[in-house]
Amino acid sequence: MPSRRIAIVLFNLGGPDRPAAVKPFLFNLFNDRNIIDLPNPFRWALAKLIAHRRGPVATHVYDQIGGGSPILPNTQAQATALEAALPDIGEVKTFIAMRYWHPFTEDTVRAVKDWAPDEIVLLPLYPQFSTTTTASSLRVWETTARKIGLKARQHALCCYPDEPGFVTALSEITRQAIGRAEAEVPGKVPAIIFSAHGLPQKIVDKGDPYVAQVETTVGAAVKQLALDPAQWVIAYQSRVGPLKWVGPSTDEMITVYAKEGRPIVIVPVAFVSEHSETLVELDIEYRHLATSNGAAAFVRAPTVATHPAFIEGLARLSRQALAQNGPLQPGCSGAACRGQSQCAMTQAGA
């Protein structure tokens, strides 16, 4: 009897792969109604304006890491590792669907349809659910799959902020970073900043569970690490524009700890692969901010990437999704969403 064919689709943000792709990438990002809640043609026009104005700055950012984002090869490495971790469930093939740059969702839907799987697992590489990330990717996938006629049974994961493998990988990486900071500055307790991408406060106020789920992730890691409450803080990076964003901001906390002369350890908790916001914002811009304000040391923990515990966690989630009868397989408990009105569990009627 032939084994069942399982397609696993990894969702990620995407990133420009060359300088000429920066402006189109920015346009695609800001033309997403989950990012800017305006009707067209107003959203289209605003996205064009933002891409034009921010293009030169963003191009300079990517110039510092070779002219393009490494997010696609990093995601490909995760896809390969996940495929190898699932020999027990059938014939598995992984696919990548990027939201704002190649490979786009439509190309991936067509590739999956051509492969003709029996079942499909939709796996966002966003551990914490947000309407601006996971919801956007799932919305576009559903619309596109319907248009192209992809009929195979689908299982969508919404989030996994406290998945044991993810938390173990994050904790191990954090522990190693703390060790490096302690070795650089013996006798001084490092200040640990768990840094996540920020959101405008108004999005959170509408019921987006992202901030609550970031807190769930960090709470699980802190418990595993047995950290003193005075030793760590959650902060948010990548703030842009005039709107009020969730806080505290990562740069503000770096400045506070640096001026105290403390060693600083910064840990990305919402990014699972390296890209401009880790390699430039954290590694270059925030390192300069820390050292120029007197930090005793600055250590940045890597993302979980292909850490074996993280990959095994994704494999475990995939198995759970395939065993689920319903259309949505949440990877978190209801408590992790804290009843937020825009949580995927609530939207699915869970």
Side-chain angles (χ1 to χ4, degrees), residues 203-240:
I203 293 177
V204 179
D205 291 343
K206 288 180 180 179
D208 190 297
Y210 172 75
V211 168
Q213 292 198 5
V214 167
E215 292 170 358
T216 295
T217 297
V218 175
V222 163
K223 183 178 180 181
Q224 197 166 120
L225 291 162
L227 294 179
D228 187 289
Q231 192 178 354
W232 61 273
V233 68
I234 300 172
Y236 296 88
Q237 65 183 89
S238 310
R239 179 180 54 194
V240 293

Side-chain angles (χ1 to χ4, degrees), residues 21-245:
V22 172
K23 283 188 179 180
F25 167 78
L26 291 175
F27 171 77
N28 292 338
L29 173 66
F30 292 105
N31 195 38
D32 181 357
R33 72 180 193 225
N34 287 73
I35 303 296
I36 294 181
D37 186 17
L38 285 176
N40 274 326
F42 304 106
R43 186 178 67 251
W44 184 94
L46 182 57
K48 277 287 187 184
L49 177 63
I50 294 172
H52 176 73
R53 288 185 173 178
R54 293 187 62 182
V57 175
T59 300
H60 175 66
V61 166
Y62 288 106
D63 283 344
Q64 297 175 76
I65 52 174
S69 172
I71 196 167
L72 179 55
N74 289 344
T75 305
Q76 288 169 332
Q78 291 168 320
T80 299
L82 179 58
E83 216 172 272
L86 289 167
D88 55 306
I89 65 172
E91 184 183 354
V92 175
K93 185 174 176 61
T94 51
F95 298 82
I96 295 170
M98 295 297 193
R99 184 63 184 87
Y100 305 118
W101 201 242
H102 303 283
F104 288 120
T105 300
E106 180 166 343
D107 298 327
T108 305
V109 170
R110 293 186 186 281
V112 171
K113 184 181 179 183
D114 289 346
W115 192 65
D118 298 302
E119 296 186 72
I120 303 168
V121 175
L122 305 177
L123 178 52
L125 289 176
Y126 311 111
Q128 303 89 8
F129 178 89
S130 175
T131 54
T132 61
T133 53
T134 304
S136 178
S137 290
L138 290 175
R139 171 178 61 82
V140 172
W141 177 273
E142 181 181 353
T143 301
T144 308
R146 190 182 308 116
K147 179 182 75 174
I148 291 174
L150 180 58
K151 302 293 187 182
R153 186 182 180 196
Q154 301 181 55
H155 311 263
L157 285 126
C158 76
C159 52
Y160 42 98
D162 49 3
E163 201 289 319
F166 171 52
V167 173
T168 294
L170 184 64
S171 299
E172 288 183 3
I173 287 168
T174 302
R175 186 179 292 109
Q176 292 166 5
I178 293 170
R180 294 199 301 273
E182 290 174 338
E184 282 191 41
V185 191
K188 280 199 172 184
V189 177
I192 303 158
I193 302 173
F194 293 98
S195 185
H197 195 288
L199 277 182
Q201 185 65 51
K202 70 174 187 177
I203 293 177
V204 179
D205 291 343
K206 288 180 180 179
D208 190 297
Y210 172 75
V211 168
Q213 292 198 5
V214 167
E215 292 170 358
T216 295
T217 297
V218 175
V222 163
K223 183 178 180 181
Q224 197 166 120
L225 291 162
L227 294 179
D228 187 289
Q231 192 178 354
W232 61 273
V233 68
I234 300 172
Y236 296 88
Q237 65 183 89
S238 310
R239 179 180 54 194
V240 293
L243 293 175
K244 179 183 178 182
W245 283 50

